[in-house]
Amino acid sequence: MPRFYTSAVHAGRQDFRELCVHAPPLDLSTTYPVDDLATGTASFDALVAGEAEAGNPIYARLHNPTVARTERAIAELEGTDACVAFGSGMAALTAVLMERRQHGGHVLVVRPLYGTSDHLLASGLCGLEAEFVEAGDIGARLRADTTLVVIETPANPTLALVDIAAVVAAAGDVPVLVDSTFATPVLQNPASLGATYVLHSATKFLGGHGDVIAGVVCCDDDHARPLRTVRAATGALLHPLAAYLLHRGLPTLALRVERAQANAGEVARRLERHPAVAAVHYPGLGNVRNAHLVGSQMRGAGALIAFEMKEGKAAAAAVMRGVRIITPAVSLGSVDSLIQHPAGLTHRVVDAAAQDANGITPGLLRLSVGIEHVEDLWEDLAQALDAAADTGGVTELRARA
Ligand SMILES: *Cc1c(COP(=O)(O)O)cnc(C)c1O
């Protein structure tokens, strides 16, 4: 098996010489000619049953060769048999929940989670009763109808880590889904620790350039087949052009993550010393839950930082207003740096008490560090922090008056 840097460049491209191409073919067909009805019917049956491919793709909701190529590449990087791609990270999670619903009605969930994942689970929209628990209580809360355990590590937005192997052990026969979006396959491989489903919002680091919305689930063939069946039935497809762009980003994945991570480590250390900042949460500083997993479960600390402004929400808003190189926007994992306010944006849909209990405070900002020069990033952030320190307190007082 080639090493990661090599796989990242060559995954999903192994048949190029045979095809005599140097870039992946982009197949935009919605339908495919069926000359022989008997083989067409066999292909149709195989795809509806969730096979990864068949002699004839039949119809693009059942199969698309460009999407399948990207899936093979991501499965290779994640170290799983299969990968099933969806139109977004949320569509990917929904497909897993719909499939698990057929096996039981109860799901155990460890907070914090990406805000919309929390909302989807808490709302019961997919027909599952979600019970939010501490990771250490999973064994005790399992029921006969528990069909899934959901964790996210590092967790959005606080960067708390969850011990995947410990959760897998506690869950016993119940499948564990790990949202590994923040880690990417560069930094951790949950399936190698026993996770059944590895979910990525490929919108983030895998795409990496802020121009693709996509989600993937990496798992073994037996768990992939029913997910393809759900995808074919619900139409939660990844468009082939999006799959093409996603594949286009993979060769630089390790380079991007490593550079962004190096920048993040430096920015996190400097943030800790800034007088306007009350606290910095970064796995590499050893100050998030289970930070000891950096170096074992995780091969690095990642490129996301959360930090709290001493002067609360007004100062956080002032930082978002003040940055020039860093973009004040939701999302993460792009080549460029992004900063956002979880309580005001991504995590608004989370129950207020759960926000408090999980450290989603009014002064919290989440910074997704990009691959720019670290000195430019720091200068930009420092001037925004200085400006916020000058005005933040005053604005806060005005807001209260
Ligand atoms: C963005 C994100 C999602 C949702 O993915 P979309 O592609 O936006 O649907 C899920 N989990 C995490 C950790 C995320 O950051």
Side-chain angles (χ1 to χ4, degrees):
M1 197 63 175
R3 293 155 187 82
F4 193 92
Y5 273 101
T6 310
S7 289
V9 174
H10 291 279
R13 293 171 167 84
Q14 286 93 339
D15 57 350
F16 278 14
R17 288 215 199 148
E18 202 180 307
L19 297 173
C20 198
V21 297
H22 191 63
L26 172 54
D27 185 338
L28 295 170
S29 304
T30 54
T31 191
Y32 296 85
V34 176
D35 287 328
D36 178 63
L37 184 57
T39 54
T41 300
S43 291
F44 184 90
D45 288 349
L47 293 171
V48 169
E51 293 305 328
E53 55 195 318
N56 188 321
I58 305 292
Y59 185 58
R61 182 156 42 68
L62 303 179
H63 184 84
N64 175 275
T66 305
V67 175
R69 180 181 287 285
T70 303
E71 290 173 333
R72 286 195 298 276
I74 295 174
E76 184 176 328
L77 299 188
E78 193 56 85
T80 51
D81 295 342
C83 165
V84 187
F86 297 86
S88 69
M90 293 318 304
L93 178 60
T94 300
V96 175
L97 297 180
M98 290 183 77
E99 147 55 15
R100 294 316 306 173
R101 180 66 191 88
Q102 299 172 71
H103 307 280
H106 179 240
V107 51
L108 289 172
V109 186
V110 177
R111 275 174 165 147
L113 290 176
Y114 177 68
T116 306
S117 304
D118 189 303
H119 179 61
L120 178 65
L121 286 156
S123 68
L125 260 176
C126 292
L128 286 162
E129 176 198 343
E131 184 180 346
F132 293 91
V133 293
E134 296 297 325
D137 294 338
I138 288 170
R141 299 295 186 86
L142 287 173
R143 302 192 327 211
D145 65 339
T146 307
T147 182
L148 185 68
V149 174
V150 175
I151 62 173
E152 185 174 301
T153 181
N156 193 341
T158 60
L159 287 318
L161 305 186
V162 183
D163 187 333
I164 298 169
V167 167
V168 166
D173 293 339
V174 176
V176 174
L177 177 147
V178 178
D179 185 330
S180 193
T181 298
F182 277 28
T184 80
V186 179
L187 299 180
Q188 80 186 9
N189 303 106
S192 72
L193 301 170
T196 301
Y197 302 102
V198 183
L199 185 136
H200 292 282
S201 167
T203 311
K204 315 296 168 52
F205 290 98
L206 297 185
H209 296 76
D211 53 8
V212 175
I213 292 233
V216 296
V217 181
C218 298
C219 56
D220 65 20
D221 286 325
D222 288 343
H223 290 89
R225 261 181 242 109
L227 295 181
R228 292 192 199 99
T229 299
V230 170
R231 180 177 63 182
T234 60
L237 305 178
L238 183 60
H239 190 272
L241 180 55
Y244 178 93
L245 288 169
L246 186 52
H247 198 184
R248 177 81 155 76
L250 295 180
T252 57
L253 177 63
L255 292 174
R256 289 186 279 108
V257 169
E258 286 168 9
R259 167 61 176 250
Q261 172 175 261
N263 283 350
E266 185 57 33
V267 169
R269 279 187 292 278
R270 295 188 191 186
L271 274 172
E272 264 196 325
R273 298 195 297 266
H274 197 282
V277 174
V280 181
H281 310 285
Y282 181 64
L285 294 176
N287 60 5
V288 301
R289 191 174 69 204
N290 290 320
H292 68 275
L293 294 169
V294 176
S296 48
Q297 171 172 300
M298 263 186 108
R299 291 181 281 274
L304 272 296
I305 303 170
F307 61 97
E308 280 164 58
M309 298 299 293
K310 273 188 193 149
E311 302 289 340
K313 185 176 173 182
V319 173
M320 282 185 67
R321 260 198 318 278
V323 285
R324 293 288 169 265
I325 291 174
I326 301 165
T327 302
V330 301
S331 200
L332 58 106
S334 188
V335 285
D336 59 314
S337 299
L338 302 168
I339 194 163
Q340 70 107 6
H341 186 255
L345 296 167
T346 53
H347 287 71
R348 278 198 82 66
V349 287
V350 178
D351 175 72
Q355 289 190 33
D356 281 350
N358 289 284
I360 304 166
T361 60
L364 190 76
L365 286 165
R366 189 194 70 194
L367 176 64
S368 171
V369 182
I371 63 171
E372 300 96 333
H373 196 291
V374 69
E375 295 301 338
D376 291 320
L377 288 181
W378 178 249
E379 281 167 26
D380 189 36
L381 197 54
Q383 62 81 26
L385 288 167
D386 293 343
D390 289 345
T391 62
V394 178
T395 321
E396 178 108 303
L397 288 177
R398 275 203 210 110
R400 267 191 230 138

PDB file of all heavy atoms in Angstrom, residues 87-91 93 113-114 116-117 152 154-156 179-182 199-204 212-215 331-332 366, ligand 1:
ATOM      1  N   GLY A  87     -24.987  14.604  -1.003  1.00  0.00           N
ATOM      2  CA  GLY A  87     -25.018  16.000  -1.416  1.00  0.00           C
ATOM      3  C   GLY A  87     -24.543  16.972  -0.352  1.00  0.00           C
ATOM      4  O   GLY A  87     -24.285  18.138  -0.659  1.00  0.00           O
ATOM      5  N   SER A  88     -24.415  16.527   0.908  1.00  0.00           N
ATOM      6  CA  SER A  88     -23.886  17.368   1.981  1.00  0.00           C
ATOM      7  C   SER A  88     -23.569  16.463   3.168  1.00  0.00           C
ATOM      8  O   SER A  88     -23.980  15.293   3.196  1.00  0.00           O
ATOM      9  CB  SER A  88     -24.921  18.422   2.412  1.00  0.00           C
ATOM     10  OG  SER A  88     -26.015  17.806   3.072  1.00  0.00           O
ATOM     11  N   GLY A  89     -22.868  17.027   4.150  1.00  0.00           N
ATOM     12  CA  GLY A  89     -22.611  16.274   5.378  1.00  0.00           C
ATOM     13  C   GLY A  89     -23.900  15.912   6.074  1.00  0.00           C
ATOM     14  O   GLY A  89     -24.060  14.806   6.604  1.00  0.00           O
ATOM     15  N   MET A  90     -24.873  16.834   6.067  1.00  0.00           N
ATOM     16  CA  MET A  90     -26.150  16.558   6.722  1.00  0.00           C
ATOM     17  C   MET A  90     -26.927  15.457   6.001  1.00  0.00           C
ATOM     18  O   MET A  90     -27.588  14.637   6.638  1.00  0.00           O
ATOM     19  CB  MET A  90     -26.994  17.829   6.823  1.00  0.00           C
ATOM     20  CG  MET A  90     -26.424  18.902   7.751  1.00  0.00           C
ATOM     21  SD  MET A  90     -25.744  18.289   9.324  1.00  0.00           S
ATOM     22  CE  MET A  90     -27.153  17.424   9.981  1.00  0.00           C
ATOM     23  N   ALA A  91     -26.853  15.420   4.665  1.00  0.00           N
ATOM     24  CA  ALA A  91     -27.510  14.339   3.925  1.00  0.00           C
ATOM     25  C   ALA A  91     -26.866  12.999   4.271  1.00  0.00           C
ATOM     26  O   ALA A  91     -27.553  11.967   4.375  1.00  0.00           O
ATOM     27  CB  ALA A  91     -27.423  14.599   2.420  1.00  0.00           C
ATOM     28  N   LEU A  93     -25.390  12.210   7.189  1.00  0.00           N
ATOM     29  CA  LEU A  93     -25.844  11.814   8.530  1.00  0.00           C
ATOM     30  C   LEU A  93     -27.291  11.329   8.475  1.00  0.00           C
ATOM     31  O   LEU A  93     -27.647  10.317   9.092  1.00  0.00           O
ATOM     32  CB  LEU A  93     -25.689  12.995   9.505  1.00  0.00           C
ATOM     33  CG  LEU A  93     -26.167  12.738  10.937  1.00  0.00           C
ATOM     34  CD1 LEU A  93     -25.407  11.577  11.582  1.00  0.00           C
ATOM     35  CD2 LEU A  93     -26.003  14.003  11.795  1.00  0.00           C
ATOM     36  N   LEU A 113     -21.637  18.753  19.489  1.00  0.00           N
ATOM     37  CA  LEU A 113     -21.654  18.309  18.100  1.00  0.00           C
ATOM     38  C   LEU A 113     -21.826  19.538  17.222  1.00  0.00           C
ATOM     39  O   LEU A 113     -22.305  20.569  17.698  1.00  0.00           O
ATOM     40  CB  LEU A 113     -22.906  17.490  17.814  1.00  0.00           C
ATOM     41  CG  LEU A 113     -23.170  16.127  18.358  1.00  0.00           C
ATOM     42  CD1 LEU A 113     -24.566  15.717  17.907  1.00  0.00           C
ATOM     43  CD2 LEU A 113     -22.160  15.151  17.805  1.00  0.00           C
ATOM     44  N   TYR A 114     -21.542  19.366  15.952  1.00  0.00           N
ATOM     45  CA  TYR A 114     -21.899  20.381  14.973  1.00  0.00           C
ATOM     46  C   TYR A 114     -23.368  20.774  15.199  1.00  0.00           C
ATOM     47  O   TYR A 114     -24.216  19.908  15.401  1.00  0.00           O
ATOM     48  CB  TYR A 114     -21.701  19.790  13.578  1.00  0.00           C
ATOM     49  CG  TYR A 114     -22.092  20.702  12.453  1.00  0.00           C
ATOM     50  CD1 TYR A 114     -21.354  21.850  12.193  1.00  0.00           C
ATOM     51  CD2 TYR A 114     -23.188  20.428  11.652  1.00  0.00           C
ATOM     52  CE1 TYR A 114     -21.712  22.693  11.158  1.00  0.00           C
ATOM     53  CE2 TYR A 114     -23.547  21.259  10.607  1.00  0.00           C
ATOM     54  CZ  TYR A 114     -22.806  22.393  10.365  1.00  0.00           C
ATOM     55  OH  TYR A 114     -23.145  23.219   9.350  1.00  0.00           O
ATOM     56  N   THR A 116     -26.055  21.729  13.543  1.00  0.00           N
ATOM     57  CA  THR A 116     -27.176  21.152  12.798  1.00  0.00           C
ATOM     58  C   THR A 116     -27.291  19.645  13.043  1.00  0.00           C
ATOM     59  O   THR A 116     -28.390  19.090  13.010  1.00  0.00           O
ATOM     60  CB  THR A 116     -27.050  21.483  11.303  1.00  0.00           C
ATOM     61  OG1 THR A 116     -26.910  22.899  11.176  1.00  0.00           O
ATOM     62  CG2 THR A 116     -28.288  21.064  10.529  1.00  0.00           C
ATOM     63  N   SER A 117     -26.171  18.966  13.316  1.00  0.00           N
ATOM     64  CA  SER A 117     -26.249  17.539  13.678  1.00  0.00           C
ATOM     65  C   SER A 117     -26.993  17.404  14.994  1.00  0.00           C
ATOM     66  O   SER A 117     -27.849  16.521  15.157  1.00  0.00           O
ATOM     67  CB  SER A 117     -24.845  16.941  13.829  1.00  0.00           C
ATOM     68  OG  SER A 117     -24.086  17.113  12.669  1.00  0.00           O
ATOM     69  N   GLU A 152     -18.474  13.031  17.951  1.00  0.00           N
ATOM     70  CA  GLU A 152     -17.737  13.906  17.033  1.00  0.00           C
ATOM     71  C   GLU A 152     -16.421  14.247  17.728  1.00  0.00           C
ATOM     72  O   GLU A 152     -16.431  14.729  18.859  1.00  0.00           O
ATOM     73  CB  GLU A 152     -18.568  15.167  16.795  1.00  0.00           C
ATOM     74  CG  GLU A 152     -17.996  16.108  15.777  1.00  0.00           C
ATOM     75  CD  GLU A 152     -18.969  17.258  15.487  1.00  0.00           C
ATOM     76  OE1 GLU A 152     -20.104  17.013  15.066  1.00  0.00           O
ATOM     77  OE2 GLU A 152     -18.567  18.416  15.715  1.00  0.00           O
ATOM     78  N   PRO A 154     -12.294  15.788  16.770  1.00  0.00           N
ATOM     79  CA  PRO A 154     -12.551  16.861  17.723  1.00  0.00           C
ATOM     80  C   PRO A 154     -13.951  17.434  17.519  1.00  0.00           C
ATOM     81  O   PRO A 154     -14.449  17.477  16.399  1.00  0.00           O
ATOM     82  CB  PRO A 154     -11.501  17.913  17.388  1.00  0.00           C
ATOM     83  CG  PRO A 154     -10.435  17.200  16.631  1.00  0.00           C
ATOM     84  CD  PRO A 154     -11.126  16.098  15.910  1.00  0.00           C
ATOM     85  N   ALA A 155     -14.552  17.897  18.626  1.00  0.00           N
ATOM     86  CA  ALA A 155     -15.933  18.340  18.564  1.00  0.00           C
ATOM     87  C   ALA A 155     -16.030  19.813  18.196  1.00  0.00           C
ATOM     88  O   ALA A 155     -15.201  20.627  18.564  1.00  0.00           O
ATOM     89  CB  ALA A 155     -16.609  18.096  19.912  1.00  0.00           C
ATOM     90  N   ASN A 156     -17.087  20.099  17.461  1.00  0.00           N
ATOM     91  CA  ASN A 156     -17.401  21.438  16.996  1.00  0.00           C
ATOM     92  C   ASN A 156     -18.324  22.098  18.027  1.00  0.00           C
ATOM     93  O   ASN A 156     -19.369  21.525  18.328  1.00  0.00           O
ATOM     94  CB  ASN A 156     -18.129  21.279  15.648  1.00  0.00           C
ATOM     95  CG  ASN A 156     -18.250  22.560  14.884  1.00  0.00           C
ATOM     96  OD1 ASN A 156     -18.125  23.647  15.419  1.00  0.00           O
ATOM     97  ND2 ASN A 156     -18.530  22.419  13.598  1.00  0.00           N
ATOM     98  N   ASP A 179     -18.042  11.441  13.656  1.00  0.00           N
ATOM     99  CA  ASP A 179     -17.880  12.573  12.746  1.00  0.00           C
ATOM    100  C   ASP A 179     -16.433  13.034  12.886  1.00  0.00           C
ATOM    101  O   ASP A 179     -16.032  13.578  13.911  1.00  0.00           O
ATOM    102  CB  ASP A 179     -18.869  13.690  13.107  1.00  0.00           C
ATOM    103  CG  ASP A 179     -18.826  14.840  12.097  1.00  0.00           C
ATOM    104  OD1 ASP A 179     -17.755  15.080  11.498  1.00  0.00           O
ATOM    105  OD2 ASP A 179     -19.856  15.518  11.918  1.00  0.00           O
ATOM    106  N   SER A 180     -15.652  12.763  11.850  1.00  0.00           N
ATOM    107  CA  SER A 180     -14.202  13.004  11.880  1.00  0.00           C
ATOM    108  C   SER A 180     -13.824  14.201  10.998  1.00  0.00           C
ATOM    109  O   SER A 180     -12.670  14.335  10.591  1.00  0.00           O
ATOM    110  CB  SER A 180     -13.491  11.727  11.401  1.00  0.00           C
ATOM    111  OG  SER A 180     -12.115  11.751  11.670  1.00  0.00           O
ATOM    112  N   THR A 181     -14.807  15.063  10.734  1.00  0.00           N
ATOM    113  CA  THR A 181     -14.607  16.203   9.830  1.00  0.00           C
ATOM    114  C   THR A 181     -13.392  17.050  10.214  1.00  0.00           C
ATOM    115  O   THR A 181     -12.601  17.439   9.354  1.00  0.00           O
ATOM    116  CB  THR A 181     -15.876  17.098   9.835  1.00  0.00           C
ATOM    117  OG1 THR A 181     -16.979  16.343   9.363  1.00  0.00           O
ATOM    118  CG2 THR A 181     -15.689  18.341   8.971  1.00  0.00           C
ATOM    119  N   PHE A 182     -13.254  17.359  11.518  1.00  0.00           N
ATOM    120  CA  PHE A 182     -12.171  18.244  11.961  1.00  0.00           C
ATOM    121  C   PHE A 182     -10.798  17.583  11.829  1.00  0.00           C
ATOM    122  O   PHE A 182      -9.791  18.271  11.748  1.00  0.00           O
ATOM    123  CB  PHE A 182     -12.375  18.657  13.431  1.00  0.00           C
ATOM    124  CG  PHE A 182     -13.311  19.818  13.642  1.00  0.00           C
ATOM    125  CD1 PHE A 182     -14.337  20.082  12.752  1.00  0.00           C
ATOM    126  CD2 PHE A 182     -13.167  20.645  14.749  1.00  0.00           C
ATOM    127  CE1 PHE A 182     -15.199  21.148  12.950  1.00  0.00           C
ATOM    128  CE2 PHE A 182     -14.027  21.718  14.956  1.00  0.00           C
ATOM    129  CZ  PHE A 182     -15.045  21.968  14.061  1.00  0.00           C
ATOM    130  N   LEU A 199     -17.837   9.653   9.331  1.00  0.00           N
ATOM    131  CA  LEU A 199     -18.533  10.673   8.558  1.00  0.00           C
ATOM    132  C   LEU A 199     -17.636  11.901   8.383  1.00  0.00           C
ATOM    133  O   LEU A 199     -16.936  12.299   9.327  1.00  0.00           O
ATOM    134  CB  LEU A 199     -19.826  11.064   9.283  1.00  0.00           C
ATOM    135  CG  LEU A 199     -20.741  12.039   8.543  1.00  0.00           C
ATOM    136  CD1 LEU A 199     -22.189  11.575   8.651  1.00  0.00           C
ATOM    137  CD2 LEU A 199     -20.630  13.446   9.102  1.00  0.00           C
ATOM    138  N   HIS A 200     -17.637  12.440   7.189  1.00  0.00           N
ATOM    139  CA  HIS A 200     -16.949  13.711   6.939  1.00  0.00           C
ATOM    140  C   HIS A 200     -17.909  14.663   6.252  1.00  0.00           C
ATOM    141  O   HIS A 200     -18.552  14.278   5.257  1.00  0.00           O
ATOM    142  CB  HIS A 200     -15.748  13.548   5.993  1.00  0.00           C
ATOM    143  CG  HIS A 200     -14.617  12.765   6.567  1.00  0.00           C
ATOM    144  ND1 HIS A 200     -13.726  13.308   7.459  1.00  0.00           N
ATOM    145  CD2 HIS A 200     -14.231  11.479   6.387  1.00  0.00           C
ATOM    146  CE1 HIS A 200     -12.833  12.394   7.797  1.00  0.00           C
ATOM    147  NE2 HIS A 200     -13.111  11.270   7.165  1.00  0.00           N
ATOM    148  N   SER A 201     -17.974  15.891   6.736  1.00  0.00           N
ATOM    149  CA  SER A 201     -18.511  16.931   5.895  1.00  0.00           C
ATOM    150  C   SER A 201     -17.369  17.264   4.936  1.00  0.00           C
ATOM    151  O   SER A 201     -16.412  17.943   5.301  1.00  0.00           O
ATOM    152  CB  SER A 201     -18.905  18.173   6.696  1.00  0.00           C
ATOM    153  OG  SER A 201     -19.132  19.233   5.772  1.00  0.00           O
ATOM    154  N   ALA A 202     -17.464  16.746   3.712  1.00  0.00           N
ATOM    155  CA  ALA A 202     -16.397  16.953   2.727  1.00  0.00           C
ATOM    156  C   ALA A 202     -16.383  18.385   2.220  1.00  0.00           C
ATOM    157  O   ALA A 202     -15.474  18.795   1.490  1.00  0.00           O
ATOM    158  CB  ALA A 202     -16.565  15.972   1.564  1.00  0.00           C
ATOM    159  N   THR A 203     -17.394  19.154   2.630  1.00  0.00           N
ATOM    160  CA  THR A 203     -17.442  20.595   2.373  1.00  0.00           C
ATOM    161  C   THR A 203     -16.216  21.287   2.977  1.00  0.00           C
ATOM    162  O   THR A 203     -15.819  22.354   2.513  1.00  0.00           O
ATOM    163  CB  THR A 203     -18.705  21.178   3.055  1.00  0.00           C
ATOM    164  OG1 THR A 203     -19.839  20.380   2.707  1.00  0.00           O
ATOM    165  CG2 THR A 203     -18.943  22.614   2.654  1.00  0.00           C
ATOM    166  N   LYS A 204     -15.645  20.681   3.991  1.00  0.00           N
ATOM    167  CA  LYS A 204     -14.600  21.319   4.791  1.00  0.00           C
ATOM    168  C   LYS A 204     -13.215  20.964   4.232  1.00  0.00           C
ATOM    169  O   LYS A 204     -12.922  21.306   3.109  1.00  0.00           O
ATOM    170  CB  LYS A 204     -14.788  20.940   6.254  1.00  0.00           C
ATOM    171  CG  LYS A 204     -16.258  21.023   6.744  1.00  0.00           C
ATOM    172  CD  LYS A 204     -16.810  22.427   6.712  1.00  0.00           C
ATOM    173  CE  LYS A 204     -18.329  22.501   6.915  1.00  0.00           C
ATOM    174  NZ  LYS A 204     -18.868  21.814   8.082  1.00  0.00           N
ATOM    175  N   VAL A 212     -17.338  23.462  -2.724  1.00  0.00           N
ATOM    176  CA  VAL A 212     -18.078  22.204  -2.850  1.00  0.00           C
ATOM    177  C   VAL A 212     -18.840  21.927  -1.561  1.00  0.00           C
ATOM    178  O   VAL A 212     -18.255  21.994  -0.484  1.00  0.00           O
ATOM    179  CB  VAL A 212     -17.117  21.007  -3.072  1.00  0.00           C
ATOM    180  CG1 VAL A 212     -17.904  19.693  -3.085  1.00  0.00           C
ATOM    181  CG2 VAL A 212     -16.339  21.148  -4.352  1.00  0.00           C
ATOM    182  N   ILE A 213     -20.121  21.610  -1.657  1.00  0.00           N
ATOM    183  CA  ILE A 213     -20.863  21.062  -0.505  1.00  0.00           C
ATOM    184  C   ILE A 213     -20.991  19.565  -0.750  1.00  0.00           C
ATOM    185  O   ILE A 213     -21.467  19.145  -1.817  1.00  0.00           O
ATOM    186  CB  ILE A 213     -22.266  21.706  -0.364  1.00  0.00           C
ATOM    187  CG1 ILE A 213     -22.114  23.175   0.025  1.00  0.00           C
ATOM    188  CG2 ILE A 213     -23.099  20.937   0.659  1.00  0.00           C
ATOM    189  CD1 ILE A 213     -22.866  23.617   1.244  1.00  0.00           C
ATOM    190  N   ALA A 214     -20.519  18.769   0.211  1.00  0.00           N
ATOM    191  CA  ALA A 214     -20.541  17.314   0.043  1.00  0.00           C
ATOM    192  C   ALA A 214     -20.396  16.636   1.389  1.00  0.00           C
ATOM    193  O   ALA A 214     -19.867  17.228   2.335  1.00  0.00           O
ATOM    194  CB  ALA A 214     -19.393  16.870  -0.877  1.00  0.00           C
ATOM    195  N   GLY A 215     -20.863  15.407   1.472  1.00  0.00           N
ATOM    196  CA  GLY A 215     -20.688  14.607   2.681  1.00  0.00           C
ATOM    197  C   GLY A 215     -20.353  13.185   2.307  1.00  0.00           C
ATOM    198  O   GLY A 215     -20.784  12.709   1.240  1.00  0.00           O
ATOM    199  N   SER A 331     -18.360  27.875   8.251  1.00  0.00           N
ATOM    200  CA  SER A 331     -17.607  26.850   7.526  1.00  0.00           C
ATOM    201  C   SER A 331     -16.148  26.861   7.992  1.00  0.00           C
ATOM    202  O   SER A 331     -15.755  27.695   8.830  1.00  0.00           O
ATOM    203  CB  SER A 331     -17.703  26.976   6.016  1.00  0.00           C
ATOM    204  OG  SER A 331     -17.358  25.721   5.422  1.00  0.00           O
ATOM    205  N   LEU A 332     -15.388  25.925   7.490  1.00  0.00           N
ATOM    206  CA  LEU A 332     -14.032  25.700   7.992  1.00  0.00           C
ATOM    207  C   LEU A 332     -13.293  24.796   7.015  1.00  0.00           C
ATOM    208  O   LEU A 332     -13.880  24.262   6.078  1.00  0.00           O
ATOM    209  CB  LEU A 332     -14.096  25.035   9.384  1.00  0.00           C
ATOM    210  CG  LEU A 332     -14.854  23.697   9.464  1.00  0.00           C
ATOM    211  CD1 LEU A 332     -13.908  22.524   9.604  1.00  0.00           C
ATOM    212  CD2 LEU A 332     -15.830  23.699  10.611  1.00  0.00           C
ATOM    213  N   ARG A 366     -14.717  30.805  16.915  1.00  0.00           N
ATOM    214  CA  ARG A 366     -14.052  29.627  16.361  1.00  0.00           C
ATOM    215  C   ARG A 366     -13.260  30.058  15.131  1.00  0.00           C
ATOM    216  O   ARG A 366     -13.811  30.660  14.209  1.00  0.00           O
ATOM    217  CB  ARG A 366     -15.079  28.555  15.975  1.00  0.00           C
ATOM    218  CG  ARG A 366     -14.439  27.218  15.597  1.00  0.00           C
ATOM    219  CD  ARG A 366     -15.421  26.310  14.903  1.00  0.00           C
ATOM    220  NE  ARG A 366     -15.736  26.798  13.570  1.00  0.00           N
ATOM    221  CZ  ARG A 366     -16.760  26.365  12.836  1.00  0.00           C
ATOM    222  NH1 ARG A 366     -17.578  25.462  13.306  1.00  0.00           N
ATOM    223  NH2 ARG A 366     -16.971  26.857  11.619  1.00  0.00           N
TER     224      ARG A 366
HETATM  225  C1  LIG B   1     -20.133  21.310   8.434  1.00  0.00           C
HETATM  226  C2  LIG B   1     -20.232  20.122   9.308  1.00  0.00           C
HETATM  227  C3  LIG B   1     -21.262  19.200   9.152  1.00  0.00           C
HETATM  228  C4  LIG B   1     -22.365  19.366   8.130  1.00  0.00           C
HETATM  229  O1  LIG B   1     -21.865  19.279   6.844  1.00  0.00           O
HETATM  230  P1  LIG B   1     -22.542  20.029   5.561  1.00  0.00           P
HETATM  231  O2  LIG B   1     -21.661  19.601   4.459  1.00  0.00           O
HETATM  232  O3  LIG B   1     -22.536  21.482   5.867  1.00  0.00           O
HETATM  233  O4  LIG B   1     -23.938  19.500   5.463  1.00  0.00           O
HETATM  234  C5  LIG B   1     -21.267  18.067   9.971  1.00  0.00           C
HETATM  235  N1  LIG B   1     -20.333  17.904  10.916  1.00  0.00           N
HETATM  236  C6  LIG B   1     -19.332  18.789  11.113  1.00  0.00           C
HETATM  237  C7  LIG B   1     -18.324  18.538  12.169  1.00  0.00           C
HETATM  238  C8  LIG B   1     -19.250  19.931  10.323  1.00  0.00           C
HETATM  239  O5  LIG B   1     -18.264  20.821  10.529  1.00  0.00           O
END
